[in-house]
């Protein structure tokens, strides 16, 4: 590839007009298929466009429409395979609908979340999908004030359109499974990277199930698995898999000595060396329903927040006994 | 509630001033009295008006948008790179548009078209099909491009030294006593990386006087060959392949590393789990991302005249438990 083709400036409509020897508005007419342009002028303009590699400016178009054909996606951690899978599905569906996808990682920091949403609003995105949401009311207010539709996917939010699994029911199912196996000393393990409302709901589901059996709930941070427990219900698969690593490094075998349940249903957990028992979320449904809600809002549907609650599914594999 | 966004005209109407006064206040330019300023800002607040980045960009001919093209976010290394590119770009006030192409040239072409239409200031190609039509489109659009963890002579690149990395992997296996070493990659891998690592493997075997007899495609059923006196060790072109290979080999009755030693490439976190314990050639993901963003922003600032800048980073062999001496001496093998 000849490096001299890398000129400094991108071609503009003015360059096209100059090269084809017509006015700017004639070029514009050709591009929009409007006005009266002779066939020979038309082909001359098209040749110039081809030669220069000119591309009509979507910025200018967006300026007219006051909206970009862009959707913002906010998430906590793209390195968590559950979210990477959701983003992959989202990007595929959005690009089929001719939208591009801006991805924002917050690492679970509220300040970063605010800054990224602010940036998305400055970019006049057509909509926002939050795969993780701190629950910061300011963010929702900003979105509402800017009249940018938002849908919260995979975590629960009363104040916005939302699609999520029933975290409480899922976590309760994990506890019931462990209880049925004979476990009584069961701890819940969570971390700051779990989105706030999800963390609260999963803990609540765990605690309610424990109390229903007259058992004492216990909450642990990852890294220091307590030796007094025989089973752990983790808030997600990544935490569960790391926990197994830490337990086995400390000489406790899973599931012989201690049982572990995850949440999400990632491919990682399905690996034959891990075989994680987990509460699986229907990823395809989450994205399909989320985008449906979002596109209805983008089409102008008014009304109070709508919520879709999906059922998670306990998948029993080899980390519980 | 209507979803129409408030415009500068709404602000002007509500505060009872002209459009240009609102604009002056927003830009902090002189000329508006403190009282007017206050009235305008109150109206801005009430309406939730937000100066349009697109309008500003149109004036500056900058969008502060970067495109990132990746093949498969389900590959943890790709996801990690995208995440870190987004972080480094964001630290320098750039926003990241992500395109997942699945490695299909048509999808890649249409995603790149979408990026060009959005007037991204630059594009980071984490993976690239190398499709000639796509390349000439990029060149014609004169958009700055950086290749991350892949390579092309005509563009800025940052990648690890594949040859050194694969060389170290083979060296390690030979030192353990392996003489029958195979290689596994897959068609859905970035082309230059695939070619580069395979060639590096070939050269490494040559250096040790070993024959190149086993080169597998991840999609083939080759586990039987390994059971049948084939290679005692495999080098996989990526960790993504290697981690799934452990599963396949063990489902086929071959233990890793007792029956087959396995080395990956990339250094994804899953490989560090004790249950996986993958020996691998680790890439410095954060360094790659940081340098990629730096190269791209340099190119955006300086334009295209300067020759491509190309950086090779050193990978590091990380020894874990997926490699061990061969079960039988190689000479006793069938």
């Amino acid at each position: 590839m000849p490096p001299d083709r890398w000129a400094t400036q991108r071609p503009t409509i003015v360059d096209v007009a100059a090269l084809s020897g017509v006015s700017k508005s004639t070029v514009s007419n050709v591009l929009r298929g409007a006005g009266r342009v002779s066939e020979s002028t038309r082909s001359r303009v098209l040749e110039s466009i081809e030669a220069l590699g000119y591309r009509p400016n979507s910025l200018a178009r967006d300026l007219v429409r006051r909206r970009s054909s862009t959707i913002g996606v906010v998430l906590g951690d793209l390195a968590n395979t559950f979210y990477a899978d959701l983003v992959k599905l989202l990007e595929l569906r959005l690009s089929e609908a001719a939208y591009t996808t801006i991805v924002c990682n917050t690492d679970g920091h509220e300040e970063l979340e605010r800054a990224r949403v602010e940036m998305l609003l400055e970019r006049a995105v057509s909509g926002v999908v939050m795969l993780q949401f701190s629950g910061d009311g300011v963010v929702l207010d900003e979105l509402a004030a800017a009249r940018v539709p938002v849908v919260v996917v995979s975590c629960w939010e009363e104040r916005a359109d939302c699609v999520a699994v029933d975290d409480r029911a899922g976590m309760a199912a994990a506890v019931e499974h462990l209880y049925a196996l004979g476990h009584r000393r069961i701890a819940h393990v969570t971390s700051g990277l779990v989105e706030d409302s999800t963390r609260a709901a999963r803990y609540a589901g765990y605690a309610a199930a424990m109390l229903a059996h007259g058992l004492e709930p216990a909450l642990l941070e990852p890294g220091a698995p307590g030796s007094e427990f025989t089973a752990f219900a983790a808030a997600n698969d990544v935490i569960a898999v790391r926990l197994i690593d830490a337990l086995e490094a400390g000489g406790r075998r899973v599931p012989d000595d201690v049982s572990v349940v995850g949440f999400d249903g990632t491919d990682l957990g399905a690996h034959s060396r891990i075989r994680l028992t987990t509460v699986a979320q229907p990823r395809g449904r989450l994205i399909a329903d989320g985008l449906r809600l979002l596109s209805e809002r983008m089409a102008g549907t008014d009304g109070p927040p709508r919520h879709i609650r999906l059922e998670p599914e306990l998948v029993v594999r080899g980390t519980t006994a | 509630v209507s979803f129409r966004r408030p415009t500068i005209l709404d602000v002007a109407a509500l505060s009872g001033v002209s459009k240009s006064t609102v604009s002056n206040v927003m830009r902090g330019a002189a000329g508006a009295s403190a009282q007017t300023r206050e009235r305008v800002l109150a109206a801005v607040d009430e309406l939730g008006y937000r100066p349009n980045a697109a309008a500003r960009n149109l004036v500056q001919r900058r969008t502060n948008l970067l495109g990132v093209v990746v093949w498969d976010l389900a590959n943890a290394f790709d996801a990690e790179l995208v995440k870190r590119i987004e972080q480094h770009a964001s630290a320098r006030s750039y926003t990241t548009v992500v395109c997942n192409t699945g490695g299909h040239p048509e999808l890649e072409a249409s995603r790149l078209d979408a990026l060009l239409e959005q007037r991204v200031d630059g594009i980071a190609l984490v993976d690239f099909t190398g499709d000639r039509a796509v390349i000439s489109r990029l060149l014609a659009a004169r958009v700055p491009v950086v290749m991350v963890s892949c390579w092309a002579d005509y563009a800025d690149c940052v990648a690890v030294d594949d040859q050194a990395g694969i060389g170290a992997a083979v060296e390690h296996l030979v030192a353990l006593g392996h003489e029958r070493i195979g290689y596994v990659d897959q068609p859905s891998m970035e082309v230059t990386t695939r070619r580069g690592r395979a060639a590096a493997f070939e050269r490494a075997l040559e250096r040790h006087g070993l024959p190149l007899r086993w080169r597998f495609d991840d999609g083939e059923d080759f586990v039987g060959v390994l059971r049948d006196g084939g290679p005692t060790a495999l080098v996989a072109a990526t960790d993504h392949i290697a981690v799934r290979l452990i599963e396949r080999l063990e489902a086929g009755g071959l233990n890793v590393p007792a029956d087959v030693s396995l080395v990956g490439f990339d250094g994804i976190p899953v490989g560090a789990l004790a249950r996986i314990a993958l020996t691998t050639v680790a890439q410095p993901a954060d360094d790659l991302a940081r340098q990629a963003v730096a190269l791209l922003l340099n190119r955006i600032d300086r334009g295209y005249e300067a020759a491509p800048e190309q950086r090779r980073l050193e990978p590091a062999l990380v020894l874990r438990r997926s490699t061990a001496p061969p079960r039988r001496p190689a000479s006793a093998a069938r």
Side-chain angles (χ1 to χ4, degrees):
Chain A
M1 287 302 146
D4 55 294
R5 300 256 340 246
W6 298 90
T8 39
Q9 283 283 324
R10 283 186 216 173
T12 68
I13 195 164
V14 177
D15 302 323
V16 176
L19 185 65
S20 43
V22 301
S23 74
K24 220 172 67 176
S25 52
T26 304
V27 175
S28 170
N29 282 342
V30 170
L31 284 169
R32 288 181 296 111
R36 280 221 313 259
V37 183
S38 75
E39 202 38 55
S40 73
T41 305
R42 213 181 88 83
S43 58
R44 215 161 61 233
V45 169
L46 291 178
E47 268 164 33
S48 308
I49 286 172
E50 189 70 34
L52 291 168
Y54 170 69
R55 195 171 299 275
N57 191 337
S58 75
L59 272 184
R61 208 172 51 219
D62 291 345
L63 199 61
V64 174
R65 296 194 316 194
R66 306 200 50 77
R67 271 293 150 78
S68 70
S69 52
T70 301
I71 302 288
V73 178
V74 178
L75 77 156
D77 184 9
L78 195 58
N80 178 336
T81 149
F82 177 69
Y83 292 107
D85 280 345
L86 289 184
V87 172
K88 184 178 159 183
L89 285 170
L90 264 174
E91 196 272 346
L92 180 66
R93 298 288 304 273
L94 288 172
S95 79
E96 282 167 2
Y99 282 93
T100 53
T101 307
I102 290 182
V103 172
C104 305
N105 259 283
T106 67
D107 268 329
H109 295 304
E110 213 166 297
E111 327 79 68
L112 276 183
E113 180 179 274
R114 269 195 203 188
R116 298 295 161 92
V117 169
E118 183 67 28
M119 175 278 290
L120 291 174
L121 292 178
E122 271 202 29
R123 295 210 166 273
V125 291
S126 294
V128 173
V129 180
M130 312 230 22
L131 299 180
Q132 170 148 43
F133 180 47
S134 66
D136 184 355
V138 172
V139 167
L140 290 180
D141 291 346
E142 291 274 296
L143 286 162
R147 298 176 180 112
V148 171
V150 60
V151 62
V152 178
V153 174
S154 88
C155 51
W156 197 253
E157 177 51 59
E158 286 295 335
R159 297 162 293 174
D161 284 358
C162 164
V163 184
V165 296
D166 187 336
D167 287 307
R168 296 179 64 127
M171 215 59 223
V175 173
E176 290 305 327
H177 168 62
L178 292 169
Y179 186 87
L181 288 170
H183 293 279
R184 297 297 178 266
R185 285 172 293 138
I186 306 167
H188 181 61
V189 187
T190 192
S191 96
L193 266 176
V194 181
E195 183 274 331
D196 285 11
S197 73
T198 304
R199 191 170 56 206
R202 290 187 188 165
Y203 176 72
Y206 155 82
M210 291 292 282
L211 291 171
H213 288 295
L215 301 174
E216 186 77 22
L219 183 60
L220 298 181
E221 287 284 313
S227 56
E228 65 271 39
F229 302 101
T230 63
F232 299 91
N236 68 32
D237 281 2
V238 172
I239 294 172
V241 166
R242 297 243 164 87
L243 181 66
I244 292 170
D245 217 44
L247 287 165
E248 296 190 336
R252 304 173 75 193
R253 306 302 304 172
V254 177
D256 298 349
D257 303 327
V258 54
S259 289
V260 175
V261 184
F263 203 114
D264 283 346
T266 57
D267 293 344
L268 167 62
H271 193 280
S272 60
R273 286 233 182 142
I274 296 173
R275 302 193 59 237
L276 180 66
T277 295
T278 188
V279 180
Q281 304 201 48
R283 283 169 287 193
R285 279 288 304 282
L286 284 170
I287 294 305
D289 288 349
L291 287 182
R292 184 169 52 75
L293 290 183
L294 188 68
S295 62
E296 285 169 13
R297 289 290 185 207
M298 281 160 56
T301 305
D302 286 340
R306 297 164 303 166
H307 301 105
I308 298 176
R309 183 90 79 174
L310 302 177
E311 283 309 310
E313 184 198 355
L314 181 73
V315 179
V316 177
R317 297 200 192 99
T319 56
T320 46
Chain B
V1 185
S2 128
F3 276 113
R4 192 181 77 83
R5 295 160 60 88
T7 69
I8 195 165
L9 292 176
D10 301 325
V11 177
L14 186 65
S15 48
V17 300
S18 73
K19 208 173 77 175
S20 51
T21 304
V22 175
S23 170
N24 284 341
V25 171
M26 297 305 288
R27 286 182 296 109
S33 72
Q35 198 191 359
T36 306
R37 217 180 87 82
E38 214 160 276
R39 218 163 60 229
V40 169
L41 290 180
V44 164
D45 223 44
E46 186 175 328
L47 292 168
Y49 169 69
R50 199 172 300 275
N52 193 329
R56 207 170 49 222
N57 294 331
L58 199 62
V59 174
Q60 298 174 346
R61 299 186 100 194
R62 278 279 172 94
T63 58
N64 274 56
L65 273 180
L66 298 182
V68 179
V69 177
V70 67
W71 277 22
D72 187 9
L73 284 171
N75 177 337
F77 187 68
D78 279 4
E80 180 85 25
L81 275 181
V82 172
K83 174 185 164 177
R84 290 174 188 275
I85 288 171
E86 195 263 346
Q87 284 172 340
H88 288 292
S90 173
R92 300 181 63 173
S93 302
Y94 278 80
T95 304
T96 311
V97 178
V98 173
C99 301
N100 189 89
T101 66
H104 302 298
E106 328 80 69
L107 284 186
E108 184 177 85
S110 74
R111 298 293 210 284
L112 283 168
D113 269 345
L115 291 178
L116 295 177
E117 263 211 33
Q118 290 219 311
R119 301 253 154 171
V120 293
D121 288 334
I123 296 176
L125 295 166
V126 173
D127 301 288
F128 183 44
T129 60
D131 188 78
R132 294 199 67 85
V134 174
I135 293 171
S136 42
R137 221 118 122 208
L138 283 174
L139 289 172
R142 294 164 192 165
V143 62
V145 168
V146 65
M147 306 265 177
V148 195
S149 169
C150 57
W151 205 261
D153 293 333
Y154 53 84
D156 293 340
C157 303
V158 55
V160 294
D161 186 338
D162 288 329
Q163 189 156 340
I166 296 284
V170 170
E171 183 93 32
H172 166 61
L173 292 170
V174 169
L176 286 171
H178 291 277
E179 292 175 358
R180 309 160 70 84
I181 306 172
Y183 185 75
V184 187
D185 65 6
Q186 60 183 18
S188 62
M189 257 182 82
E190 193 277 318
V191 186
T192 57
T193 305
R194 186 182 190 202
R195 215 182 289 131
R197 288 185 192 166
F201 177 73
E202 211 166 312
R203 272 195 293 276
L205 286 194
E206 226 168 74
R207 234 182 357 260
H208 293 283
L210 299 173
L212 175 68
R213 287 177 58 190
W214 301 281
R215 208 190 138 182
F216 303 116
D217 178 329
D218 187 43
E220 295 166 359
D221 183 15
F222 55 83
V223 176
V225 178
L226 275 86
R227 265 199 309 263
D228 239 13
T232 59
L234 292 173
V235 175
T238 69
D239 281 0
H240 192 60
I241 295 173
V243 167
R244 286 175 307 158
L245 201 50
I246 291 175
E247 197 164 13
R248 279 177 67 193
L249 291 170
E250 296 190 341
L254 291 168
N255 179 266
V256 177
D259 301 312
V260 180
S261 282
L262 183 60
V263 184
F265 201 112
D266 283 343
I268 63 177
V270 173
L273 294 171
R275 285 197 175 198
I276 306 290
L278 181 67
T279 294
T280 190
V281 179
Q283 303 201 51
D286 193 57
D287 223 13
L288 284 168
R290 192 169 42 76
Q291 300 212 29
V293 171
L295 284 175
L296 198 50
L297 298 199
N298 272 347
R299 180 65 59 183
I300 291 167
D301 284 341
R302 289 179 329 195
Y304 310 87
E305 295 81 10
E309 199 170 327
Q310 311 204 305
R311 298 182 188 166
R312 285 281 187 197
L313 306 183
E314 282 307 309
L317 183 70
V318 179
L319 300 182
R320 299 203 187 97
R321 292 197 312 275
S322 67
T323 46
R327 192 187 280 279
R328 301 152 296 181
S331 55
R334 273 176 283 173

